[in-house]
Amino acid sequence: MRIAYLDCFAGISGDMFLGALLDAGLDPNILHEAVAALNLNATLKIEKVDRSGISSTKVHVYEGSSLAESNTAEPTHRHENEEVAQTHQQTHTHQHHPKTQHQHKTGQPHTHDHEHTHGRSLTVIRDLITAASLPLAVKQTAIHAFELLGASEAKIHNVPIEKIHFHEVGAVDAIVDIVASSAGIHALAIDKWFSSPINVGGGMVDCAHGRFPVPAPATADLLRGLPTYSAHIEKELVTPTGAALIRALAPTFGPQPGMRVEHIGYGAGTRNPKNFPNVLRLSIGEADNSTHSIPSPTELPHTHHDHDSQTVTVLEAALDDLSPQILAYVSEIALAQGALDVMLTPVIMKKGRPGTLLTILCNPSDSLALQQLILRETSTLGLRIRQDTRVCVDRHHATVTTPYGDIRVKIGTLNGEQCNIAPEFEDCRTAATKHNVPLKLVQQTAIAAYLK
């Protein structure tokens, strides 16, 4: 099983995550192509930097020929609902507050007449991502991150989610960070993500409605329920973008699991404080269960393999009065929120009505969020929940070269013996479209190349 571990000892932000992906070996073209697909006249500049003696990768977002740093002239973490945005034109004095730990720079107070630039609404951002020429899975992850952020903002400001206008996280650099990160996540084809507890930093942060303790309100809501702590530095270490990404990623939190690390990447934040490496570390490799802790004498001997039984949660609801369009939508959102599988089964319900049995398979830790999704988005008044066990074979990836380009292949093994070979569908579809050949031909060619 291919796994990844995020070490968030210096927090997390969008640019740090991108830098870590690249430093760990991600092809930069994956990110460049994702950014170009947005049609925002944005580009990435990638460079190696030093952070307290650690060589790391820094990613800058440019809009045209200018560095796209959001909120250089507005209070940090500024979000308005639609009614406020339409009427907020006045003469006032305000402080050019420091930007976040990863971006913000200190400015000076000044007085002037101006009208605040309206931010992009969730609908605008969703439409922008949907229209981009990107794989569906990448779009789903990016939109899900913005929906999570929008839900937190709506809760804080007590307004409908569609009336939230993002300023800092609706700017070009934040949209690029989230969409490019989503492209990188899916390109790496990680089977399971893990993360350390998150260092949020300390001190105070300036927001549109005054000074707040770190983390800022939206960030704090996004981190609700996740293991966090404050240590080492009195700066804001987690940006809203970073919090939305890690929430959308839904990793398992705790110490680094047993793994054979193949790649290590360091993504740099903008600040470079003395004696504190402002970096996000990403480790990628294969799961290694031989490194489990030694059992105590009172424990029974146990050898664990990835294909041993695992506990999963099954959520089910039978629906006979819901549009197929909504069913498809719920299925897509469930997968984006971490569901292991989603099934739609035709059934005959009471009074002879044709209906659909919605079944979602998930990790127990994701059950609550997916229950809320079903109850909120569908017409059911209840659902069935049970715990099941499943058996999985060991999995790893290989890349093969074909006449249609490089294709990733997933290999399944049981007790060390190969039992399944499956080319990655998205790679095959992209290659088939690019070369105008049948999809099945690309799949067959990839399998043949691997067997050779």
Side-chain angles (χ1 to χ4, degrees), residues 6 19 27 79-80 94 125 166 183 200 209 230 243 254 323 334 349 402 435:
L6 289 167
D27 183 354
H79 312 281
E80 300 179 61
H94 73 93
I125 293 174
F166 300 109
V200 299
H209 305 288
S230 174
S323 164
M349 300 176 61
T402 76
H435 294 275

Side-chain angles (χ1 to χ4, degrees), residues 25 118 124 364:
H118 296 179
V124 170

Side-chain angles (χ1 to χ4, degrees), residues 145-196:
F146 274 108
E147 288 175 339
L148 289 169
L149 187 53
S152 293
E153 289 293 339
K155 182 188 304 181
I156 291 167
H157 299 298
N158 194 29
V159 297
I161 187 171
E162 297 299 338
K163 291 191 176 182
I164 288 293
H165 280 240
F166 300 109
H167 287 256
E168 179 179 347
V169 291
V172 167
D173 60 330
I175 295 175
V176 166
D177 283 347
I178 288 179
V179 173
S181 293
S182 300
I185 289 168
H186 289 282
L188 288 177
I190 301 298
D191 294 309
K192 182 67 177 175
W193 286 83
F194 296 84
S195 175
S196 71

